[in-house]
Amino acid sequence: MPGSTPSSLPSRPASGGIPASAAAPSSGGNPLPASRLSVGRGLLYIALAATSWGTTGTTAGLVMDDSGLGPVALTFWRTAGGFVLLLSARLWMSRRAEPAVRAARPYEPWPRRAGRLIVAGLGLTVFQTAYFAAVAATGVAVGTVVTLGAAPVLAALGGRVALGERLGSGGRVAIVGASAGLAVLLLGNDGTGTVRPAGVALALLSAAGYALLTVHGRRLGRQGRATDPFTTALTSFAVSTVCLLPLAAVEGLWPHARELARTLGLMAYLVSVPTALAYALFFAGLAVVRATTVTVITLLEPVTAAVLAVLLLGERLTAATVLGTVVLLSAVTGLAVAEARGRAVAGAPVARVSER
């Protein structure tokens, strides 16, 4: 979900929502109170968030099968509902605790502010919509693994091209490993249709949307224009909702009447648990847990997605799928460890208080 600032970002995204790298610590401060969680509870919160994110693809697949909704309409309802719930959570937390003191932020002309919000919102729109489309095209397990495995690698490449960041040996090894994992997934397909190239392409498009969020967040962090992560999530969900509304109306905004109660229940779960609740838990835990540890714990997400895909959707995992998944996720973990070591050598703190 991956930074050039001292509180650098974890290296993989959550398919459940906006990646951490969409925001960096801001000179404006975080309006939410500082965390008083123990590390143990923080670890638990992140594990619960990652597990709930792992249910996103399966829930989306069930909703699209039952309701007739397409990926665009489903993403619209998720971002709209997630925005409402995250805004409510923000107001509730602000009222229950005394806000942290804000530092003065430099003046930002409205065209630059609008551009910042639009880029983040568009990145989130591509990230989520293409992910749901990948799930529909090639299944939950493969769509999730390819998105999560390719996203940090594309972000590292984007940082190299757009910001001049060094890849380092760890970054180069991660790129080779991720490429090898993708090759195993595609070339090892046994003809059963488990891995579909069109679905993999959509997953890579989703990963590219994440990379845009990452590089954009890093650039803002360097310029001192980044907001706190919760504010970034709120505004990105709002912009994404506005962008998706006309497209969702064309695709078909309303679910079928058949199985309507089941559809509404699944959509309510999708909006509340792996979106609003998961991010509330993740934001809290991330304040006290090291970024590298976060990356390792959140490997629960693709594992959960694969298990649910097999048990609930009847997807079949071939040996090539399993091997490609292991190689991809190992590359992601290696990239996170390399980044953490690089920061330690540079004397920068590893822990961070931003979202992933």
Side-chain angles (χ1 to χ4, degrees), residues 45-179:
Y45 283 5
I46 291 171
L48 291 173
T51 303
S52 68
W53 278 326
T55 67
T56 300
T58 298
T59 305
L62 293 172
V63 170
M64 288 187 283
D65 288 343
D66 290 347
S67 67
L69 290 175
V72 176
L74 181 57
T75 307
F76 164 77
W77 287 115
R78 188 188 185 199
T79 55
F83 170 75
V84 171
L85 291 181
L86 286 172
L87 179 61
S88 301
R90 176 65 167 269
L91 295 174
W92 181 77
M93 287 187 288
S94 296
R95 290 176 180 176
R96 284 181 58 88
E98 182 178 352
V101 178
R102 298 188 187 204
R105 295 191 64 198
Y107 171 73
E108 184 179 24
W110 73 263
R112 296 185 68 189
R113 181 180 304 178
R116 167 170 57 82
L117 298 177
I118 290 172
V119 171
L122 289 177
L124 176 64
T125 299
V126 172
F127 179 42
Q128 292 205 38
T129 306
Y131 170 69
F132 285 151
V135 166
T138 195
V140 173
V142 173
T144 302
V145 167
V146 172
T147 298
L148 297 183
V153 175
L154 293 179
L157 287 173
R160 178 72 182 93
V161 173
L163 303 178
E165 296 176 348
R166 293 183 57 192
L167 285 176
S169 58
R172 289 190 290 271
V173 170
I175 291 172
V176 172
S179 300

Side-chain angles (χ1 to χ4, degrees), residues 137-139 142 189-196 315-318 321:
T138 195
V142 173
N189 193 11
D190 59 2
T192 61
T194 302
V195 179
R196 298 180 179 89
E315 293 186 9
R316 180 168 173 261
L317 299 181
T318 65
T321 304

Side-chain angles (χ1 to χ4, degrees), residues 78-341:
R78 188 188 185 199
T79 55
F83 170 75
V84 171
L85 291 181
L86 286 172
L87 179 61
S88 301
R90 176 65 167 269
L91 295 174
W92 181 77
M93 287 187 288
S94 296
R95 290 176 180 176
R96 284 181 58 88
E98 182 178 352
V101 178
R102 298 188 187 204
R105 295 191 64 198
Y107 171 73
E108 184 179 24
W110 73 263
R112 296 185 68 189
R113 181 180 304 178
R116 167 170 57 82
L117 298 177
I118 290 172
V119 171
L122 289 177
L124 176 64
T125 299
V126 172
F127 179 42
Q128 292 205 38
T129 306
Y131 170 69
F132 285 151
V135 166
T138 195
V140 173
V142 173
T144 302
V145 167
V146 172
T147 298
L148 297 183
V153 175
L154 293 179
L157 287 173
R160 178 72 182 93
V161 173
L163 303 178
E165 296 176 348
R166 293 183 57 192
L167 285 176
S169 58
R172 289 190 290 271
V173 170
I175 291 172
V176 172
S179 300
L182 286 172
V184 171
L185 282 171
L186 289 171
L187 301 179
N189 193 11
D190 59 2
T192 61
T194 302
V195 179
R196 298 180 179 89
V200 172
L202 287 166
L204 291 174
L205 177 61
S206 174
Y210 164 79
L212 173 63
L213 283 167
T214 298
V215 175
H216 180 59
R218 287 174 176 173
R219 186 184 297 278
L220 293 178
R222 287 184 174 186
Q223 297 172 349
R225 297 168 55 206
T227 58
D228 69 273
F230 217 122
T231 298
T232 301
L234 282 172
T235 55
S236 297
F237 270 69
V239 172
S240 181
T241 299
V242 172
C243 292
L244 287 168
L245 177 57
L247 300 176
V250 172
E251 183 184 63
L253 192 58
W254 305 107
H256 294 158
R258 178 176 60 86
E259 300 286 349
L260 183 59
R262 172 182 162 91
T263 296
L264 293 178
L266 288 170
M267 290 179 67
Y269 171 83
L270 184 65
V271 167
S272 58
V273 177
T275 304
L277 177 60
Y279 269 95
L281 292 174
F282 189 81
F283 289 146
L286 198 58
V288 296
V289 179
R290 298 172 72 247
T292 305
T293 305
V294 169
T295 298
V296 175
I297 294 174
T298 51
L299 292 177
L300 287 170
E301 180 182 349
V303 172
T304 302
V307 170
L308 292 178
V310 172
L311 295 180
L312 299 182
L313 301 180
E315 293 186 9
R316 180 168 173 261
L317 299 181
T318 65
T321 304
V322 174
L323 178 59
T325 296
V326 171
V327 174
L328 266 172
L329 298 183
S330 297
V332 171
T333 305
L335 179 59
V337 172
E339 287 181 351
R341 287 177 177 172

